[in-house]
Amino acid sequence: MTLRITLEHRNHLWSAEGHPVDLSVPVNPYNGLPRAWYKGPAAAEPVRTDNWTGSVAEGGAVNFRDLTFNPHAHGTHTETREHIHDTFQPIDARARGAALPFVLPAFFIEAAPEQRGENWEVSLEAIHPFMQTIQTLKPSALVLKCTNGDVLRDWSDSNPPFLEDGFAEQLCLLGIEHLLIDLPSVDQEVDGGHLRAHNAFFGPAVNPRPNATISELLGIPNGLNQGPGLLSLQVAPMVNDAAPSRPVWFPAQVHGMAHS
């Protein structure tokens, strides 16, 4: 079976064929990784009553477990502006509407952080070689690989890399509505609550970018070619500012469409 996807977008034809690439890291209560934001590991516990247990291993008829996790801390997740604004805009509503189509035109870039003093920052220079192509193709989403793929760790108190000042603003100017990154946050772990990149990308509360989403803690394999692709951003149906998600990447070829 061969999968072929074709998408018309801004006078260009995006075509993908072949095997998709899963960019997600699952919520895993068994090894407890990844985790961030000072949270302990996710947990799975059988439901227990006085005369019944939700564990086949303990004699129950079925496995029936309570899961305890935080979407922002325990795996790949996608969030809306509700993460930083006093507004009700759950990610489930975005995923069910035209704001988050099933397939998005996207662009993938490797953006290794640079050391600046005690911090490691993702430099805006990483997108400069692709700026003209992005301006021409006008993708809706940008996927950034900033690690060597080693994301199964406890990120708490590690001061992970973050986007340098002006990076999120530039993405807004380029028309990027969906930002995906393999770090626990686009902002510094401890920044006094400024959340500069979040605020820039989602926009101010009085004039927000209502369709924008940010996905964090992706698991991006090594060897993925930089350039255009089609992205299926699959989000768990949860009514919350953020939910676990499974971004699926299809490398694509893009061609201009002839005008009639």
Side-chain angles (χ1 to χ4, degrees), residues 74-225:
H74 291 132
T76 304
H77 59 276
T78 300
E79 63 197 30
T80 72
R81 66 187 181 94
E82 185 184 342
H83 184 45
I84 61 168
H85 291 160
D86 183 18
T87 184
F88 184 66
Q89 193 185 57
I91 185 60
D92 183 69
R94 298 287 90 189
R96 291 177 187 273
L100 191 57
F102 176 70
V103 175
L104 295 163
F107 206 90
F108 168 66
I109 294 174
E110 292 191 3
E114 300 176 1
Q115 187 169 11
R116 296 175 180 174
E118 297 181 353
N119 300 323
W120 289 82
E121 299 186 20
V122 181
S123 172
L124 185 56
E125 293 182 2
I127 68 173
H128 284 172
F130 307 97
M131 191 78 74
Q132 184 174 351
T133 303
I134 292 174
Q135 290 172 331
T136 299
L137 300 183
K138 298 178 173 60
S140 301
L142 182 71
V143 181
L144 294 175
K145 178 178 173 59
C146 306
T147 76
N148 61 4
D150 178 22
V151 297
L152 296 179
R153 63 175 79 173
D154 183 354
W155 292 90
S156 299
D157 289 316
S158 66
N159 191 25
F162 54 94
L163 300 185
E164 78 163 334
D165 190 10
F167 200 118
E169 291 85 345
Q170 180 63 62
L171 298 186
C172 294
L173 292 175
L174 291 171
I176 301 296
E177 289 197 315
H178 307 284
L179 171 58
L180 301 91
I181 193 169
D182 61 344
L183 293 169
S185 179
V186 295
D187 281 304
Q188 189 171 11
E189 183 177 28
V190 179
D191 71 349
H194 295 297
L195 296 171
R196 174 191 44 74
H198 276 90
N199 277 284
F201 195 75
F202 285 129
V206 295
N207 185 29
R209 305 176 73 223
N211 293 337
T213 68
I214 295 176
S215 300
E216 296 159 330
L217 271 178
L218 273 70
I220 303 174
N222 296 324
L224 199 63
N225 290 331

Side-chain angles (χ1 to χ4, degrees), residues 9-76:
H9 174 72
R10 302 288 184 89
N11 296 319
H12 286 85
L13 189 67
W14 298 60
S15 300
E17 179 177 333
H19 297 290
V21 182
D22 191 330
L23 304 183
S24 71
V25 177
V27 175
N28 191 332
Y30 301 101
N31 70 6
L33 298 173
R35 62 180 184 264
W37 307 115
Y38 324 109
K39 299 292 293 182
E45 292 293 336
V47 173
R48 304 178 191 277
T49 65
D50 291 340
N51 55 7
W52 183 83
T53 180
S55 169
V56 174
E58 296 180 34
V62 296
N63 289 311
F64 188 66
R65 306 180 182 103
D66 284 331
L67 299 180
T68 304
F69 71 96
N70 184 290
H72 293 282
H74 291 132
T76 304

